[in-house]
Amino acid sequence: MRSPGQIGAVAPSSPRLADLLASVVPTHGTPTVVELGPGTGSVSAAIAERLPAGARHLAVELDPRLAAYLRRTRPDMEVVDGDAEHLTGLLAARSVPGVDAVVSGLPWSLFGGATQRAILDQVATAIGPTGAFATFAYTHTAAMTTARRFRRMLSDVFDEVVVSRTVWRNLPPAYAYVCRRPRA
């Protein structure tokens, strides 16, 4: 409630939505996964369950209070204070040239077009041709101009965009986007 332009969730993601988003996380090898806007860590827990030993989980959080909370409650992941608009720079500062998956909890419908595009371009660069990107939207925001623009933008940035069924057991109900193969 204190940061409506920054935090778009009224409640943490449900286990069902968290599992759906985490489904893009590789379960073998030593993958590197980035989570954008982890909030209180409900999706972080689902990601951690899938990650094999030796994997790297970085969480990019803009809100310093949430970042501090995550450092206390999720010592298994690297919390990065920063803005998703600067993802590739944040990764380069940590010697991460690319990632296997990006999972986002960012409130896309609250962002303007330039911000949406800047973050998506950063994600596309980070995952390269072989990685995956998962994010979600609330069903009640689907008619918003910013939400419709975001959906079109996903198709502009990625060759494959799969929209899930609605996750009714989430507050509010939501659906996921799973994207692969950034366009050149």
Side-chain angles (χ1 to χ4, degrees), residues 14-73:
S14 71
R16 287 194 185 197
L17 180 59
D19 288 343
L20 177 59
L21 293 169
S23 69
V24 299
V25 172
T27 57
H28 60 282
T30 54
T32 299
V33 176
V34 171
E35 185 177 3
L36 302 177
T40 59
S42 61
V43 176
S44 306
I47 291 170
E49 284 180 27
R50 289 185 59 88
L51 283 174
R56 193 168 179 189
H57 181 182
L58 296 97
V60 177
E61 179 55 58
L62 185 62
D63 185 315
R65 291 173 307 208
L66 286 174
Y69 172 80
L70 290 166
R71 283 190 184 90
R72 286 191 312 273
T73 60

Side-chain angles (χ1 to χ4, degrees):
M1 296 287 198
R2 286 185 295 236
S3 304
Q6 193 173 338
I7 300 171
V10 296
S13 297
S14 71
R16 287 194 185 197
L17 180 59
D19 288 343
L20 177 59
L21 293 169
S23 69
V24 299
V25 172
T27 57
H28 60 282
T30 54
T32 299
V33 176
V34 171
E35 185 177 3
L36 302 177
T40 59
S42 61
V43 176
S44 306
I47 291 170
E49 284 180 27
R50 289 185 59 88
L51 283 174
R56 193 168 179 189
H57 181 182
L58 296 97
V60 177
E61 179 55 58
L62 185 62
D63 185 315
R65 291 173 307 208
L66 286 174
Y69 172 80
L70 290 166
R71 283 190 184 90
R72 286 191 312 273
T73 60
R74 306 252 8 130
D76 55 318
M77 77 183 173
E78 279 177 70
V79 179
V80 178
D81 292 277
D83 190 326
E85 282 191 77
H86 308 291
L87 178 61
T88 55
L90 295 170
L91 293 174
R94 287 153 185 82
S95 301
V96 178
V99 301
D100 299 285
V102 173
V103 177
S104 172
L106 296 176
W108 297 101
S109 63
L110 299 180
F111 298 153
T115 300
Q116 288 177 342
R117 185 59 189 236
I119 296 170
L120 287 177
D121 286 346
Q122 292 285 300
V123 168
T125 299
I127 67 168
T130 59
F133 169 57
T135 192
F136 72 96
Y138 294 123
T139 55
H140 72 274
T141 66
M144 291 175 63
T145 302
T146 53
R148 290 193 323 266
R149 179 183 56 232
F150 179 69
R151 172 63 182 94
R152 286 190 307 272
M153 206 174 288
L154 287 173
S155 293
D156 290 343
V157 175
F158 298 97
D159 182 47
E160 178 183 13
V161 178
V162 177
V163 182
S164 77
R165 291 182 154 177
T166 299
V167 178
W168 293 105
R169 291 188 180 204
N170 192 72
L171 182 65
Y175 53 93
Y177 295 112
V178 175
C179 309
R180 290 184 171 82
R181 293 186 308 279
R183 297 180 190 274

